[in-house]
Amino acid sequence: PQAASARTDVRDCSTDPPYLPPTATNTTARLAALRDTMRAHGVHAYIVPSTDAHMSEYIAERDARLGWLTGFTGSAGTGVVTQDKAALWTDSRYWTQAERQLDCNWELQRTPWIESIGLWILEAVPVGGNISLDPFLFSIDTWNSYSQALHGSGRNLVPIETNLVDQVWGDERPSSPSSTIYSLPEAFTGSSWQEKVAGIRQQMERHVRRPTAVLLSGLEETAWLFNLRGDDIPYNPVFYSYTLLTNTNISLFVDQRRLSVEARGSLQGGCPGLLCVELQEYDQARAHLQHYTQGNVTVWLGTEYTTYGLYGVIPQEKLLEDSYSPVMMAKAVKNAKEQELLRAAHLRDAVAVIQYLLWLEKTVPQGQVDEFSGAQYIDMLRRAQKHSRGPSFQSISASG
């Protein structure tokens, strides 16, 4: 029997010239440009994660730095670039995808742990070398893990606030979102934002450490707290923002031009006063926090969603750390109204799924439906239901 032919949908870097499938991205020019920028900053290795400044699970196109640099579009991964090497770490869900999308500039590492990234860096970077990353793209825990992996090795972990990939990406980088940020109608909120703020302030008062402020970095925290929604990230009704809620003030850092008239009115109806939301520009969050923490204050935050870039400006003795902020915990406990709304949404969705199964029973035997058209059809049925705002992820449709 004839030997099984080599797969043509994945790369083969062992041949000369290497074989690349049409799905692979040529990254030679991008890597050369990044390496020039690294040299200019005295950086020997640069770490590129797959997340954004809010530790979001899904990200917007403009935050897909790893995807742009490598061609790999999976939802989880880490890239490291040195002057003569480039490697991508991802988990087993994505190994085949990576072999289809990467060109031969990249080594694929099949162990996604930070220890293995650290070991690779120690081998690739000489003693005295600088390993850099953007502190606004790494959680506190991840930063600490890298710090630990390199500790005592004679290499330096140096945060650089200018994102080097963004510098190279330049004008091609997708622009900031400009769509409207709107208020959720009262019929869909379990309670007003004023009630939510009062509840969080009560928790601050009762806490043994008596924190003076709560810092919110997770996008869904701010959206939930103020009953606001946007569409900055596909499949997620959120918008880029930070919130600093103190006993006496509320600061919302957001692109103010995008707030609907109703949203702005809702936030500023109680001005001046304890329930007045002061609007500040999105990129002012760090400077504001730095200024605030010069006083006699304690800032309560959730480490899972706060980046090292923000965390680093707060003096250690003024920090109150939990895995999740009190807002994230409050959001997780649904009140009676929210439970009722959830059940009603599931009923509407069930109708769409039943319609879909009926349609499949009729059309599949006729050979008229494939996985792609099936996914499109269920999306259409869901859209036809009342109050539909679209799916929460791309419909995953498979058979066989």
Side-chain angles (χ1 to χ4, degrees):
Q2 199 183 349
S5 61
R7 285 180 64 171
T8 56
D9 64 332
V10 296
R11 64 183 186 163
D12 183 356
C13 298
S14 65
T15 62
D16 186 23
Y19 170 75
L20 295 178
T23 46
T25 300
N26 181 347
T27 63
T28 302
R30 293 169 191 188
L31 280 169
L34 179 61
R35 286 171 172 143
D36 286 347
T37 309
M38 286 164 59
R39 269 195 298 276
H41 284 85
V43 171
H44 299 94
Y46 192 61
I47 308 173
V48 182
S50 57
T51 188
D52 65 9
H54 303 273
M55 303 292 109
S56 306
E57 181 184 1
Y58 292 83
I59 55 169
E61 278 291 301
R62 74 180 267 102
D63 286 316
R65 297 173 179 91
L66 186 68
W68 177 79
L69 184 66
T70 64
F72 169 73
T73 58
S75 71
T78 304
V80 180
V81 177
T82 67
Q83 281 305 329
D84 55 357
K85 284 181 166 179
L88 172 83
W89 283 258
T90 189
D91 63 75
S92 56
R93 291 174 299 171
Y94 292 120
W95 291 343
T96 303
Q97 181 177 335
E99 294 287 9
R100 287 175 179 164
Q101 293 183 319
L102 297 175
D103 65 7
C104 292
N105 288 314
W106 293 88
E107 303 168 15
L108 175 60
Q109 300 287 340
R110 294 166 193 258
T111 48
W113 307 288
I114 287 176
E115 295 78 31
S116 81
I117 301 178
L119 288 170
W120 187 92
I121 289 173
L122 293 180
E123 236 167 77
V125 176
V127 171
N130 293 330
I131 293 112
S132 282
L133 43 76
D134 178 340
F136 291 96
L137 295 180
F138 289 83
S139 72
I140 299 158
D141 290 347
T142 308
W143 169 274
N144 289 338
S145 302
Y146 279 110
S147 195
Q148 222 172 330
L150 301 171
H151 182 72
S153 69
R155 281 88 168 164
N156 317 304
L157 189 59
V158 184
I160 294 190
E161 286 172 24
T162 312
N163 189 290
L164 302 190
V165 174
D166 291 354
Q167 273 197 334
V168 175
W169 202 348
D171 296 340
E172 282 177 36
R173 187 179 175 215
S175 54
S176 298
S178 56
S179 57
T180 303
I181 299 166
Y182 58 95
S183 288
L184 201 59
E186 222 166 282
F188 295 100
T189 62
S191 42
S192 70
W193 72 257
Q194 290 89 342
E195 289 167 334
K196 293 176 180 178
V197 164
I200 300 301
R201 281 178 169 158
Q202 249 175 349
Q203 286 194 52
M204 290 160 66
E205 263 169 56
R206 289 196 205 118
H207 199 287
V208 60
R209 291 262 324 262
R210 299 300 283 269
T212 59
V214 173
L215 174 67
L216 306 179
S217 292
L219 298 183
E220 59 272 43
E221 299 182 289
T222 289
W224 176 85
L225 185 66
F226 296 117
N227 293 328
L228 295 176
R229 298 291 185 267
D231 58 4
D232 294 5
I233 296 178
Y235 307 113
N236 292 261
V238 295
F239 50 92
Y240 291 118
S241 55
Y242 295 99
T243 299
L244 188 70
L245 169 62
T246 78
N247 341 40
T248 53
N249 286 77
I250 311 166
S251 298
L252 169 59
F253 302 88
V254 68
D255 181 350
Q256 302 178 34
R257 296 164 306 182
R258 298 176 50 208
L259 289 166
S260 72
V261 176
E262 295 77 22
R264 190 181 280 267
S266 144
L267 296 172
Q268 305 210 295
C271 296
L274 293 178
L275 290 169
C276 165
V277 179
E278 288 172 15
L279 298 172
Q280 309 216 29
E281 285 308 316
Y282 172 75
D283 56 12
Q284 290 301 302
R286 181 175 183 264
H288 183 92
L289 188 62
Q290 203 160 13
H291 180 73
Y292 176 75
T293 52
Q294 285 170 6
N296 180 21
V297 298
T298 303
V299 178
W300 193 0
L301 54 78
T303 56
E304 290 284 329
Y305 287 88
T306 310
T307 62
Y308 185 77
L310 278 186
Y311 173 84
V313 306
I314 307 170
Q316 204 62 42
E317 70 279 5
K318 296 179 182 181
L319 265 171
L320 169 56
E321 298 174 51
D322 275 322
S323 290
Y324 298 101
S325 79
V327 169
M328 202 58 105
M329 301 305 276
K331 180 175 98 61
V333 182
K334 307 300 180 194
N335 62 29
K337 174 81 175 286
E338 288 168 323
Q339 290 180 35
E340 179 196 322
L341 290 165
L342 277 170
R343 289 191 185 101
H346 275 285
L347 283 176
R348 291 193 299 275
D349 193 63
V351 171
V353 174
I354 291 164
Q355 289 172 327
Y356 180 57
L357 294 174
L358 195 65
W359 177 79
L360 283 179
E361 274 179 26
K362 284 180 184 163
T363 50
V364 169
Q366 297 164 17
Q368 288 175 356
V369 59
D370 57 29
E371 291 168 340
F372 183 66
S373 63
Q376 284 183 307
Y377 195 76
I378 193 164
D379 285 349
M380 184 201 74
L381 291 171
R382 286 181 158 139
R383 266 199 308 273
Q385 286 296 325
K386 208 172 157 191
H387 308 309
S388 169
R389 282 275 176 178
S392 60
F393 54 85
Q394 193 174 355
S395 292
I396 299 168
S397 164
S399 73

